[in-house]
Amino acid sequence: MTFSIVARSGQSYGVAVASKFLAVGSVVPSVSPYGAVATQAWARTAYKEELQELLAAGVDAQDALRRATEADERSAVRQVGVVGSGGAATFTGSEAMVWCGGRHGQQGDEAYAIQGNILVGEQVVAEMERAWLEGSGAPFEQRLVRALVAGDRAGGDRRGRQSAAILAHSPGTGYDDSGVLADLRVDDHADPVTELARLLDLQDLYLGRPGPILPLEGELATEVRERLTTAGHATPDLHEALADWAGAENLEMRLTSEGIDTRVLEVLRDSTAGGAVTG
């Protein structure tokens, strides 16, 4: 009744999941500095603590999953994905409802496990795997949701749609450097995966950190310059004008001579349309 991706990239761990089930994010995902777990089908929530303890003790993902499922007398109806510093593994019990199955892989400092049950077909996990592998240049949390979107577009849960969630941690990220990269849930919605992607974009706008876009040129540069001129910060050097504007408006945006972020344009639009924005 669920499809999910569990993944690691460097020190980042995360789970993205969707289902025709109320509030799937309250049941399936678990993330820690040691790994990520998704427990689904007839989910055994105790797997989350058990597997995290094994990962924290240095047990690799395959062995941790084997130990957990062998100790569970009802493992035949379970489905689990796990990723740790020592690789990735996925398990589908022999009595899980069809279509059911999973894929896992590892390359360099990245690993993933993708699994689903009661799906329209194997194409769901295949498309999720493709999206994950092809998205290597994107931010980690965006890659997770894009993989989920790919599975949803491939048909997803054959019963329909209801909820989706992402839970991802990465050291030094998130609000107040808490390490929580993303913790978003859509508990009951007609199009939950699309809504989850929208919320992630909003989180990036509200809490994301600026990153460089080089070179600053074309239509983006033209609009930024026009907005700066309207705001009274026009200098020959566009980056100097941005830095002057950011200081004047008391924005916490870390503008530097190396580049800017597209969020600058959004803030400029707001500030020149209706008063100063203070971050």
Side-chain angles (χ1 to χ4, degrees):
M1 59 184 177
T2 303
F3 54 102
S4 66
I5 176 170
V6 183
R8 169 177 61 84
S9 180
Q11 293 182 290
S12 301
Y13 289 96
V15 179
V17 58
S19 181
K20 180 66 172 73
F21 183 84
L22 182 69
V24 70
S26 68
V27 176
V28 171
S30 171
V31 178
S32 79
Y34 306 102
V37 176
T39 174
Q40 54 197 57
W42 287 101
R44 182 171 187 268
T45 58
Y47 276 156
K48 295 189 284 189
E49 182 177 355
E50 293 167 358
L51 286 165
Q52 292 290 3
E53 287 180 353
L54 289 167
L55 294 173
V59 180
D60 68 59
Q62 291 278 1
D63 193 25
L65 188 54
R66 178 188 60 79
R67 293 190 200 184
T69 53
E70 286 182 355
D72 177 17
E73 62 182 17
R74 298 193 64 205
S75 62
V77 298
R78 317 290 194 198
Q79 191 170 53
V80 193
V82 57
V83 170
S85 61
T90 186
F91 169 85
T92 299
S94 60
E95 297 177 20
M97 289 182 278
V98 296
W99 187 90
C100 56
R103 300 181 176 200
H104 68 279
Q106 181 175 8
Q107 184 174 15
D109 66 349
E110 294 191 340
Y112 64 89
I114 299 169
Q115 46 283 312
N117 63 94
I118 319 185
L119 304 184
V120 297
E122 186 177 5
Q123 67 268 28
V124 177
V125 294
E127 281 299 293
M128 292 176 71
E129 181 180 49
R130 179 196 57 76
W132 169 259
L133 294 174
E134 291 181 358
S136 59
F140 179 66
E141 68 277 19
Q142 291 287 349
R143 287 180 72 186
L144 290 172
V145 170
R146 288 174 190 177
L148 204 65
V149 168
D152 188 59
R153 288 176 176 171
D157 189 322
R158 61 185 170 86
R159 300 166 308 158
R161 299 175 171 91
Q162 188 166 7
S163 64
I166 179 174
L167 179 61
H169 291 186
S170 186
T173 65
Y175 184 82
D176 198 30
D177 296 331
S178 63
V180 180
L181 187 59
D183 185 0
L184 298 170
R185 285 171 41 178
V186 179
D187 287 343
D188 187 21
H189 195 280
D191 191 3
V193 175
T194 300
E195 177 66 4
L196 184 68
R198 186 187 73 85
L199 292 178
L200 187 61
D201 285 342
L202 274 181
Q203 175 184 281
D204 188 47
L205 177 61
Y206 278 80
L207 301 177
R209 293 183 174 182
I213 297 177
L214 293 173
L216 179 57
E217 59 185 19
E219 293 181 1
L220 176 61
T222 299
E223 184 163 359
V224 167
R225 187 176 294 282
E226 289 175 353
R227 296 285 174 175
L228 286 169
T229 300
T230 301
H233 301 281
T235 65
D237 185 281
L238 188 54
H239 290 95
E240 288 182 5
L242 279 166
D244 181 43
W245 164 75
E249 301 297 340
N250 193 28
L251 292 171
E252 299 177 358
M253 300 203 64
R254 300 197 309 172
L255 297 173
T256 71
S257 61
E258 284 76 34
I260 69 164
D261 188 89
T262 51
R263 281 182 294 278
V264 169
L265 187 55
E266 297 300 323
V267 176
L268 269 169
R269 286 172 178 157
D270 290 343
S271 64
T272 56
V277 178
T278 59

